[in-house]
Amino acid sequence: MSAKIIDGVKIANGIKEKLKVEIENLKKKGNPPSLSAIQVGENPGSKVYIGAQRKSCEKMGIEYNLHQFDESVTQKEIADFINELNNNPRVTGIILQMPLPEHINARELQHLIDPRKDAEGVSPTNMGMVVYGKPTLGPCTAMAIMELIKSTGVELYGKEAVMVGHSDIVGKPTALFLLDKFVTTSVCHIATGERGTLPDYVKRAEILIVAVGKANLIKGEWIKEGAIVIDVGINRVKGKIVGDVEFDVARERASYITPVPGGVGPVTTAMLLRNTIEAAKLQIV
Ligand code: NAP
C-alpha cells in the first residue's frame, strides 16, 4: 500500500476562500478584524513564524501589527500592554509569540488575554471549552489536526487513536477532541518513550498523531497497515525540514499521511485566521 498524501496546502486554501467572504462582510459592517502580535527578544524560529503570519493576514486583508519588546522587559510591562490591547476596540485578536525569555511567565500572560480576543485559543476559558468539544476559539494546531483527519472521510466512531506528545497546546486538546468523536485514545509522552513501550502503542493506532519534535522518532515499520498518520513535528535535519515520523517507510504502510512541510503547518495558519475572524465577530456590540 502507498498512502494518499493529505495535502495541507489545498485544505488550507479551501478554508481561506470561505473566510474571505466573512472578512468582506465584517468590513462592510464596520468591524474589520485586526491581529496584534507580541514578541519578546529575537528568536530566529519565531521570526519565520511571524513573517508567515503577517503574509497570511495581509493576503486575506486582515490588519496585522507586531509589537516587539526587548529581552529585558518585565512581566508587569507586558501584562500592562496586554491589558491595553484588551481595552482597545480596534484590536480584535491578540497573539503572544513563543518562546519567551526565562524570567517571563507565559501562562500568567496567556491568562490575561481577553478570551474573546484570544486568536490562538490558549486562554484558560478557551482551553476549558475544549473539554466540552466545541470551543469558539480553539487551539489552532489541535483544530488543524482534526480538519486533516476529517478530510480523509474515514468514519472515526470506535476507532483506536494514539497521540504521541502531551503538550498543552497540541497533544492534550487533540486527545480531548478525539474522545469527543468516540475515538478510543491513548496519549504517550516521555515516560512511554523511557519505558520502551512507544512502539507497542504506535503499532495498534488506526489514527496516529505525533507532536514531539524529534526527527524519525517514529519508525515506519511501527505503523499499522492502513493507519491515518498526522505528523505535527517540525525538525531541521541537514538543512531540510522533516517531521517526527520516518516518512518513506511509513507511507508504504499507512492509508493517509501528512507530509512535512505542507501538512499540519498550513492548516494551523488557516485555523489562526479562522479564530481571528471568529474573535472579531464576538466583539460586535
Ligand atoms: P512540546 O511542548 O515540546 O511537547 C513535546 C511532547 O513530546 C511532550 O509532551 C514530551 O513529553 C513528548 N516527548 C518527548 N520525547 C518523547 C519521546 N521520546 N517519546 C514520547 N514522547 C516524547 O512541543 P509541542 O509544542 O507540542 O510541539 C511538538 C512538535 O510539533 C514540535 O516539533 C513543534 O515544532 C511542532 N509543532 C508544529 C506545528 C505546526 O503548525 N506544524 C504547531 C505546533 C507544534 P514530556 O513533556 O513529558 O517531556
Side-chain angles (χ1 to χ4, degrees):
M1 177 185 285
S2 191
K4 287 190 187 132
I5 307 295
I6 306 177
D7 186 344
V9 175
K10 194 170 158 197
I11 294 168
N13 286 342
I15 295 166
K16 286 194 245 177
E17 274 313 305
K18 287 187 195 148
L19 293 179
K20 276 183 189 160
V21 180
E22 298 210 42
I23 294 168
E24 280 319 305
N25 284 340
L26 281 165
K27 284 184 175 171
K28 268 187 216 152
K29 290 180 188 155
N31 302 296
S34 89
L35 186 60
S36 282
I38 301 169
Q39 186 195 19
V40 181
E42 288 281 339
N43 177 281
S46 61
K47 203 172 165 188
V48 174
Y49 188 46
I50 288 166
Q53 270 172 19
R54 181 188 289 283
K55 208 167 128 199
S56 306
C57 283
E58 285 174 354
K59 260 191 176 169
M60 299 287 288
I62 297 173
E63 184 185 335
Y64 183 89
N65 293 303
L66 175 64
H67 306 275
Q68 284 175 297
F69 289 86
D70 194 76
E71 286 269 351
S72 61
V73 72
T74 64
Q75 180 89 12
K76 180 161 184 330
E77 282 168 324
I78 310 181
D80 289 346
F81 187 68
I82 290 176
N83 280 328
E84 230 175 82
L85 296 179
N86 282 343
N87 292 322
N88 182 347
R90 284 178 47 85
V91 174
T92 61
I94 301 170
I95 180 167
L96 183 62
Q97 303 290 350
M98 299 294 154
L100 291 169
E102 291 253 314
H103 69 280
I104 301 290
N105 183 330
R107 190 167 282 184
E108 246 176 41
L109 294 175
Q110 284 167 340
H111 287 202
L112 290 178
I113 298 173
D114 180 340
R116 294 169 314 142
K117 295 193 177 188
D118 172 24
E120 280 195 304
V122 291
S123 71
T125 306
N126 289 320
M127 277 292 185
M129 288 305 287
V130 175
V131 175
Y132 302 130
K134 283 201 171 31
T136 314
L137 304 177
C140 300
T141 307
M143 293 201 303
I145 291 165
M146 295 310 289
E147 287 287 336
L148 289 156
I149 296 173
K150 192 170 108 189
S151 77
T152 65
V154 170
E155 169 66 48
L156 298 185
Y157 189 92
K159 287 268 184 323
E160 275 215 50
V162 172
M163 174 73 237
V164 187
H166 67 159
S167 67
D168 291 346
I169 58 157
V170 186
K172 286 182 197 170
T174 303
L176 288 168
F177 284 147
L178 289 166
L179 288 176
D180 211 53
K181 301 276 180 208
F182 294 92
V183 175
T184 305
T185 306
S186 305
V187 183
C188 301
H189 38 67
I190 189 71
T192 326
E194 284 169 1
R195 195 182 153 108
T197 47
L198 190 58
D200 304 334
Y201 281 94
V202 172
K203 280 176 185 171
R204 57 186 293 168
E206 293 168 295
I207 302 164
L208 174 70
I209 303 127
V210 190
V212 172
K214 289 183 182 165
N216 293 327
L217 173 74
I218 305 297
K219 303 297 167 222
E221 70 203 36
W222 300 351
I223 305 295
K224 189 179 174 73
E225 285 283 347
I228 298 172
V229 178
I230 310 290
D231 191 351
V232 186
I234 302 175
N235 310 288
R236 194 175 287 273
V237 177
K238 292 182 192 152
K240 255 185 79 183
I241 301 288
V242 298
D244 292 342
V245 179
E246 205 181 26
F247 183 82
D248 289 339
V249 188
R251 76 178 293 187
E252 293 308 316
R253 300 177 64 84
S255 58
Y256 293 91
I257 190 166
T258 56
V260 180
V264 178
V267 186
T268 298
T269 306
M271 291 297 118
L272 175 69
L273 297 169
R274 184 195 273 173
N275 273 351
T276 303
I277 289 149
E278 288 305 314
K281 285 198 238 165
L282 288 176
Q283 287 154 68
I284 299 173
V285 279

